[in-house]
């Protein structure tokens, strides 16, 4: 298996790429094996995702996974996004080659981190770090990866 038409489309025409000012939550995750990184910015209204933007650095599947994750997340409850599984992203891309499955893991981890950050902010917790991008970022815990 190589790349599906869905994956190629999201790589060539990424949806929701870019920064977001005054995000309600942000988070990132990275695959240490190759340095691929994804960061999401979320705007939340009444507990549901109103808008998501992303930045991704890495291979085509990582960019495609971040793009499709923003579409999967649209309108969903933030609590639901805090448990997003990599398999859901992989399924939305119509599969990933074995050597590129990390792309879905990184996107899911970053989305979970952003959702958790949004929930912490909503509940007034100040336990956030900052990213090199200048905005708050929370890394997903390595043991909390969805399969």
């Amino acid at each position: 298996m190589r790349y599906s038409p869905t994956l190629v489309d999201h790589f060539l025409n990424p949806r929701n790429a870019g920064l977001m000012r005054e995000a309600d939550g942000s988070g990132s995750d990275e695959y240490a094996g190759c340095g691929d990184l994804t960061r999401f910015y979320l705007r939340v209204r009444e507990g549901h995702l109103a808008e998501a933007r992303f930045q991704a650095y890495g291979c085509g599947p990582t960019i495609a996974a971040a793009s499709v994750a923003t579409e999967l997340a649209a309108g969903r409850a933030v609590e639901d996004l805090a448990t997003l599984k990599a398999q859901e992203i992989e399924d939305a891309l119509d599969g990933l080659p074995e050597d590129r499955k990390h792309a879905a893991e990184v996107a899911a981890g970053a989305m979970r981190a952003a959702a958790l950050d949004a929930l912490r902010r909503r509940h007034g917790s100040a336990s956030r770090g900052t990213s090199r991008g200048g905005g708050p970022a929370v890394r997903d815990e390595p043991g909390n990866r969805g399969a």
Side-chain angles (χ1 to χ4, degrees), residues 45-98:
R45 296 295 176 260
E46 298 179 11
H48 289 79
L49 185 68
E51 181 183 5
R53 307 283 292 171
F54 78 91
Q55 291 180 298
Y57 307 96
C59 63
T62 295
I63 293 165
S67 173
V68 83
T70 64
E71 291 187 337
L72 285 172
R76 288 171 67 171
V78 178
E79 288 84 359
D80 183 33
L81 297 177
T83 61
L84 182 69
K85 302 288 186 212
Q87 188 64 52
E88 189 174 350
I89 294 170
E90 184 176 344
D91 290 347
L93 291 170
D94 297 325
L96 285 165
E98 199 60 42

Side-chain angles (χ1 to χ4, degrees), residues 29-37 99-100 102 106 139 145:
D29 198 9
E30 182 176 3
Y31 179 64
C34 63
D36 285 4
L37 172 89
D99 64 337
R100 296 291 185 240
H102 68 271
V106 169
R139 287 189 48 92
R145 292 203 184 266

Side-chain angles (χ1 to χ4, degrees), residues 80-142:
D80 183 33
L81 297 177
T83 61
L84 182 69
K85 302 288 186 212
Q87 188 64 52
E88 189 174 350
I89 294 170
E90 184 176 344
D91 290 347
L93 291 170
D94 297 325
L96 285 165
E98 199 60 42
D99 64 337
R100 296 291 185 240
K101 290 192 182 287
H102 68 271
E105 293 285 348
V106 169
M111 184 63 76
R112 289 191 302 264
L116 290 170
D117 184 47
L119 291 169
R120 285 183 194 115
R121 291 185 196 200
R122 184 170 75 188
H123 292 65
S125 173
S127 61
R128 295 187 309 265
T130 56
S131 68
R132 285 178 280 166
V138 177
R139 287 189 48 92
D140 189 38
E141 296 299 320

Side-chain angles (χ1 to χ4, degrees), residues 22-45:
E22 300 179 25
D24 296 313
S26 64
S28 61
D29 198 9
E30 182 176 3
Y31 179 64
C34 63
D36 285 4
L37 172 89
T38 299
R39 179 176 295 122
F40 286 106
Y41 304 92
L42 309 180
R43 187 162 330 283
V44 179
R45 296 295 176 260

